Amino acid sequence: MMKKIVLMLFAVLFSFSSCSSDDDPALVGKGEIMEISAENATLDNSKGEATLYIDVPAAESTFSLKVTNYDDWWIHSFSVKELSSNSYVLVPKIDNKKVSYKDWFNAMVASNQLKCTISENISSVPRTIKMEMTVGDVFETIYIVQAAPSK
């Protein structure tokens, strides 16, 4: 009788340890890097390993990015390159699906698509944004570089 109780306790403990919210397939997805396509922008991954770059003109731009192999991803972090220090400064997010910076950058996630609008660059230097997207334990870094106006 005691042996049965001990075996049942082990069975119950094992069943609890094998189920975890970390294993939620909606969060973990397929365990692959994010597959991202762009509309009105060109993704460039030749400048760094596992990093995407988008170059946009100095004029006002609107583009969108779509994650094709994951549902319910979000913006993990958002930062802007400071020219004086050549480093990135973290910008507080509105929430995980929407970010904006001053009056020149807005982005919002709807479904699997990130829609971005960048105002005209009237400064004399390029502007750079670093955005990290995530789903579960999968991350993707995207640099958005807006050109300076031509003289």
Side-chain angles (χ1 to χ4, degrees):
M1 180 69 171
M2 185 63 133
K3 190 175 186 179
K4 279 187 178 181
I5 293 174
V6 170
L7 288 174
M8 287 175 55
L9 275 172
F10 276 117
V12 169
L13 288 173
F14 179 76
S15 68
F16 282 129
S17 67
S18 65
C19 296
S20 163
S21 63
D22 292 341
D23 296 334
D24 184 352
L27 292 179
V28 178
K30 302 172 183 114
E32 305 166 346
I33 62 169
M34 288 183 182
E35 293 175 10
I36 300 174
S37 62
E39 183 177 308
N40 296 328
T42 302
L43 296 172
D44 178 5
N45 65 352
S46 65
K47 297 178 186 176
E49 189 176 312
T51 300
L52 296 172
Y53 289 82
I54 299 173
D55 292 316
V56 296
E60 181 175 317
S61 300
T62 300
F63 63 92
S64 60
L65 304 174
K66 185 172 185 177
V67 178
T68 58
N69 63 333
Y70 287 107
D71 295 328
D72 204 29
W73 56 273
W74 62 94
I75 300 167
H76 173 68
S77 68
F78 177 79
S79 52
V80 176
K81 189 173 187 177
E82 287 286 320
L83 297 174
S84 58
S85 64
N86 209 26
S87 61
Y88 288 85
V89 175
L90 192 63
V91 174
K93 296 180 292 184
I94 295 171
D95 61 37
N96 288 336
K97 299 286 185 176
K98 187 175 180 182
V99 296
S100 65
Y101 182 68
K102 296 191 178 180
D103 60 349
W104 63 268
F105 181 82
N106 290 297
M108 186 169 67
V109 178
S111 297
N112 280 359
Q113 195 166 27
L114 175 75
K115 295 183 180 186
C116 298
T117 302
I118 301 177
S119 298
E120 179 182 6
N121 186 354
I122 56 173
S123 73
S124 60
V125 295
R127 302 189 286 199
T128 305
I129 295 163
K130 177 183 176 184
M131 186 167 39
E132 292 181 322
M133 302 158 45
T134 189
V135 58
D137 58 356
V138 177
F139 292 85
E140 183 67 58
T141 301
I142 298 177
Y143 289 90
I144 303 166
V145 181
Q146 185 180 33
S150 57
K151 295 180 182 186

